[in-house]
């Protein structure tokens, strides 16, 4: 719990002020009119959440850090030449590892994210090339020929889908292995299981990633805390890909300042 209600109240008031400042750069649909100007507000909020995390309880601390990561990345992407914003993100990643009690304190979370981003871009490029090689079925063919061509097309699509699924698994295994290296060996056995479209082998090159971490029964608190920080680092790496929209981390102050006739902030800038 935070130390007092007064601190909590002033904290919320300060965030609401920042959200109010953001409103002047939004249109009637809640979209940014000038992302370059709103960048400084996101940076300011990122610093605030990072500082506030020092006062938070265990779970809230982790949520504040995830929000801070999203806000810093939002600022960086809107002002790519701003070295202050880049340094703030770099400092955040370094401080996160110390707070998490990581084994490797000099791990480069931004570099790891860049490697994952390159893997994703290569997957998308390869998928596009494979799809372009699939021939269209002409109209002037017999029914038997059409069935044969359709079977070939279905087989090609299944092959491409299987490759996308495998590439996605490889990317997430890479992030998982990096997180374990950073945090040190797991104190218990675990398994990471894909959910949703990945579990159904229907994932696309632009899908989000849903998964659960399965632990041994009767896992001790030290094991749970290890994977809580493991998850924060994992999510920070994914956020550092700079394809995570700000509303996905549910920042309360964006909703507090919304009036009934106004729409909430909508991040139309970030590439999904």
């Amino acid at each position: 719990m935070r130390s007092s209600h007064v601190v909590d109240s002033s904290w919320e008031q300060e965030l609401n002020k920042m959200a109010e400042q953001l409103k002047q750069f939004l249109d009637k649909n809640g979209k940014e009119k000038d992302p370059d100007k709103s960048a400084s507000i996101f940076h300011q909020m990122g610093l605030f959440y990072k500082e506030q995390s020092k006062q938070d309880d265990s779970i809230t601390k982790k949520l504040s850090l995830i929000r801070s990561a999203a806000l810093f990345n939002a600022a960086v992407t809107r002002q790519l030449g701003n070295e202050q914003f880049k340094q703030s993100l770099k400092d955040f990643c370094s401080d996160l590892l110390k707070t998490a009690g990581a084994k490797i304190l000099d791990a480069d979370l931004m570099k790891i994210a860049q490697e994952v981003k390159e893997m994703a871009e290569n997957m998308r490029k390869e998928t596009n090339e494979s799809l372009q090689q699939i021939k269209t079925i002409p109209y002037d063919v017999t029914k038997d020929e059409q069935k044969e061509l359709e079977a070939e097309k279905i087989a090609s699509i299944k092959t491409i889908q299987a490759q996308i699924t495998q590439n996605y698994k490889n990317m997430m295994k890479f992030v998982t292995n990096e997180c374990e290296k950073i945090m040190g060996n797991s104190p218990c056995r675990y398994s990471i299981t894909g959910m949703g479209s990945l579990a159904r082998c229907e994932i696309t090159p632009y899908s989000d990633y849903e998964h659960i971490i399965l632990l041994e029964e009767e896992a001790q608190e030290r094991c749970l805390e290890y994977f809580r920080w493991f998850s924060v680092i994992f999510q920070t790496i994914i956020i550092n890909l700079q394809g995570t929209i700000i509303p996905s981390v549910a920042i309360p102050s964006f909703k507090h300042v919304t009036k009934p006739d106004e729409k909430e902030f909508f991040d139309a800038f970030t590439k999904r």
Side-chain angles (χ1 to χ4, degrees), residues 14-31:
E14 191 63 31
L15 281 170
N16 288 343
K17 286 181 183 179
M18 296 180 201
E20 282 285 0
Q21 292 173 356
L22 177 65
K23 285 181 66 177
Q24 64 182 307
F25 304 124
L26 305 180
D27 63 20
K28 63 180 181 180
N29 294 314
K31 298 179 181 179

Side-chain angles (χ1 to χ4, degrees), residues 116 119 123 162-177 198 209:
V116 179
M119 293 169 70
M123 173 183 64
Q163 189 59 54
I164 295 171
T165 301
Q166 188 57 52
N167 285 339
Y168 228 109
K169 287 180 180 179
N170 291 342
M171 283 195 297
M172 296 307 121
K173 283 180 182 178
F174 173 75
V175 179
T176 297
N177 291 337
L198 180 60
Y209 177 63

Side-chain angles (χ1 to χ4, degrees), residues 141-149:
V141 293
T142 64
K143 286 187 176 180
D144 289 340
E145 290 174 328
Q146 182 179 359
K147 287 182 179 179
E148 184 177 345
L149 290 170

Side-chain angles (χ1 to χ4, degrees), residues 63 66-67 70 208 235 239 243-251 254-255 265-267 270 272:
L63 180 56
I66 289 170
R67 287 170 171 165
D208 57 355
Q235 190 159 352
I239 289 173
T244 299
I245 59 172
I246 303 174
S248 71
V249 294
I251 295 174
F254 287 152
K255 293 187 177 182
F265 165 66
F266 178 75
D267 184 358
T270 303
R272 275 87 173 136

Side-chain angles (χ1 to χ4, degrees), residues 59-154:
I59 298 300
T60 310
K61 178 191 294 291
K62 297 173 178 65
L63 180 56
S64 290
L65 289 169
I66 289 170
R67 287 170 171 165
S68 185
L71 289 161
F72 281 138
N73 274 282
V76 169
T77 56
R78 285 161 174 78
Q79 285 192 24
L80 294 175
N82 193 312
E83 294 302 323
Q84 180 189 6
F85 293 175
K86 292 177 183 178
Q87 188 61 48
S88 290
L89 177 56
K90 185 176 180 180
D91 292 342
F92 166 82
C93 291
S94 178
D95 292 343
L96 169 60
L97 296 178
K98 295 174 185 176
T99 305
K103 181 180 179 181
I104 303 178
L105 294 176
D106 61 349
D108 193 337
L109 303 186
M110 295 169 69
K111 182 180 179 182
I112 295 171
Q114 183 58 38
E115 291 183 57
V116 179
K117 193 171 186 176
E118 290 173 1
M119 293 169 70
E121 289 173 350
N122 288 335
M123 173 183 64
R124 291 163 183 163
K125 181 182 178 182
E126 290 172 3
T127 300
N128 188 49
E129 291 173 349
S130 296
L131 289 172
Q132 289 179 351
Q133 291 175 10
I134 296 178
K135 298 178 181 179
T136 56
I137 299 175
Y139 291 103
D140 55 343
V141 293
T142 64
K143 286 187 176 180
D144 289 340
E145 290 174 328
Q146 182 179 359
K147 287 182 179 179
E148 184 177 345
L149 290 170
E150 286 175 347
E152 291 177 1
K153 187 172 184 178
I154 291 170

